[in-house]
Amino acid sequence: MLGALGAARLNGTMQRRSQHEHWRRDGRRQAYAAFVEAAVDYSEAIGTVQANGGALGNHHGPEAEALCRRVDEMRPAVSKALALVLVEGPEEVAHAAHQAVRTMTAWACVAGVYPPQHPLAGSRSVRSVFRDGLTDVGELSDTAWERIREFETQARTALDHPLPVR
């Protein structure tokens, strides 16, 4: 009888762990998908500003301002998605997401979305991207998309490996 009770308890513990792992994996998958969606939308909007000569470059006026406003309105979604990834982890995935956001924001600054006096343009995060030698708008565009792909790779890897049970 004691053996049966022990086996039942062990089975219940294992089932709870399995359910918890499934729940965590599902939460991570949702957070990662939300981040990719927000990052792609943000990057495409920055690319549109860049393709139209940038608000501070070749084109001025209401159309350029509307494009920049659209990018600026998308930034909170990227920040919110990043926050979820930072909470869900693991560290490698969170780092990749943060690198992508830093690069996208630097790209937006160089593309003319944010003027030099804007707080984002002078942020430590953006300055660190510039210190890495990335200052050309085309190079920043390419690097931002690479960072998004790096995030996707890290996210897939993390989803393929179960979280350690604590």
Side-chain angles (χ1 to χ4, degrees), residues 31-42 81 85 145 148 151-152 155:
Y32 300 167
F35 179 79
V36 170
E37 181 180 357
V40 167
D41 289 348
Y42 188 54
V85 171
W145 287 106
I148 293 169
F151 169 81
E152 292 168 345

Side-chain angles (χ1 to χ4, degrees), residues 12-28 88 162-166:
T13 300
M14 289 173 53
Q15 185 176 2
R16 278 192 304 279
R17 283 184 183 170
S18 176
Q19 288 173 343
H20 180 73
E21 282 181 30
H22 177 73
W23 174 76
R24 283 293 312 265
R25 187 170 189 261
D26 189 50
R28 289 165 60 205
E88 289 294 333
L163 287 170
V165 178
R166 294 183 179 133

